[in-house]
Amino acid sequence: MKFGKPGTGQLGCAAAIGAVLALPAGFVLGRHSPQTSAEWHKGVISTRSEKMPNFFSPNLLSDPAVRDQHRKIVEGLERACVQQRLYCEEAASARRWLDNRDKR
């Protein structure tokens, strides 16, 4: 018994042959990329020097970048409370949490 359309087998065969040829070609072309691994590592190190949190830190909340971001958020809530009378309870709660965290 035959299933499917008549050209389906030929299309499947062509796709398989294309995949078999494209995989080694990708490996060969990937080896000759213009960026060396030393340049790639230098790029990774330069992003670490910026104020970015270390997501692999065992305690992310103690990361200086995360602390700075939390401080900015609390200051924004306090500013909204003073200027627009919005989020006053949230600002007070966030300030308490931030102060308690800094005491640890």
Side-chain angles (χ1 to χ4, degrees):
M1 296 181 91
K2 289 188 176 184
F3 295 102
K5 295 183 180 179
T8 306
Q10 291 176 344
L11 180 64
C13 184
I17 290 173
V20 167
L21 294 176
L23 185 66
F27 284 136
V28 169
L29 293 175
R31 281 191 204 151
H32 300 294
S33 67
Q35 188 178 26
T36 64
S37 75
E39 291 173 352
W40 182 81
H41 286 294
K42 188 176 13 171
V44 170
I45 292 170
S46 71
T47 58
R48 287 185 187 161
S49 65
E50 297 174 7
K51 285 190 165 186
M52 294 181 65
N54 180 8
F55 293 111
F56 301 107
S57 171
N59 191 1
L60 184 64
L61 293 177
S62 65
D63 191 280
V66 174
R67 285 181 175 261
D68 185 47
Q69 191 65 30
H70 285 169
R71 182 186 52 77
K72 288 178 183 176
I73 291 169
V74 170
E75 289 172 357
L77 285 169
E78 291 171 339
R79 197 174 319 111
C81 177
V82 170
Q83 293 173 352
Q84 302 168 353
R85 302 283 183 222
L86 296 173
Y87 308 115
C88 293
E89 290 181 31
E90 289 86 350
S93 176
R95 176 55 66 184
R96 279 192 304 274
W97 180 84
L98 197 62
D99 291 342
N100 287 338
R101 184 194 66 181
D102 289 341
K103 288 179 184 177
R104 291 184 216 168

